[in-house]
Amino acid sequence: TNNVHFQFQANVSGQSGYNETITSTAFEAYHNESDGTAALSYQSARDQASGTAFQDILPFIGSDNDQAASGELHLFNPSSTTYIKNFIHRGAVYGEADFAQDDFISGYFNVTAAITQIQFKMSSGNIDAGTIKMYGIK
């Protein structure tokens, strides 16, 4: 599927529905293939202000053979039952409009219960290929 967003959301212990409250912000640097446009821009459409939607972390992924995305997501102290759960993401996308993007997203889950489940998905279509690795799990 062309022009899709890779997203994530979580569940705390004992919950379902992947609808935890997120507050987040996003910005990106981009440059198009024809060298006609380059900018650094705040991405207000990808912010959440106490929202429960899936959080976009890799936006505008294209379906051409030379279009792809990769990134790292850090979720801090997900097993804590005292503190909110901060996250940061940095990713690279070669997008559907032939732009190279460097994406930055950060925020937090406004929950103090332990996060026990995370779901990753595309906004439309399927994940055709890829690897998701977890580090730091005891």
Side-chain angles (χ1 to χ4, degrees), residues 13-137:
S13 182
Q15 298 299 309
S16 62
Y18 295 98
N19 57 359
E20 301 305 332
T21 301
I22 294 175
T23 297
S24 62
T25 190
F27 70 94
E28 70 182 15
Y30 57 89
H31 192 220
N32 75 335
E33 187 176 287
S34 67
D35 202 25
T37 304
L40 176 67
S41 75
Y42 169 59
Q43 298 291 303
S44 61
R46 295 182 13 231
D47 281 4
Q48 291 196 61
S50 296
T52 57
F54 272 71
Q55 178 65 50
D56 290 348
I57 54 177
L58 294 166
F60 312 115
I61 300 170
S63 61
D64 292 352
N65 289 335
D66 65 345
Q67 296 172 338
S70 67
E72 290 187 348
L73 172 68
H74 297 262
L75 177 60
F76 297 94
N77 210 5
S79 62
S80 171
T81 56
T82 304
Y83 302 107
I84 63 170
K85 313 306 179 281
N86 294 290
F87 64 86
I88 58 172
H89 175 270
R90 182 172 184 188
V93 174
Y94 188 70
E96 54 86 25
D98 296 327
F99 278 82
Q101 301 162 202
D102 192 4
D103 290 286
F104 300 83
I105 294 94
S106 65
Y108 61 91
F109 288 97
N110 195 15
V111 295
T112 55
I115 289 179
T116 57
Q117 298 175 315
I118 296 177
Q119 183 180 54
F120 294 95
K121 69 176 190 170
M122 293 295 204
S123 58
S124 178
N126 298 315
I127 300 171
D128 292 331
T131 303
I132 297 173
K133 294 183 179 182
M134 290 178 39
Y135 298 97
I137 305 299

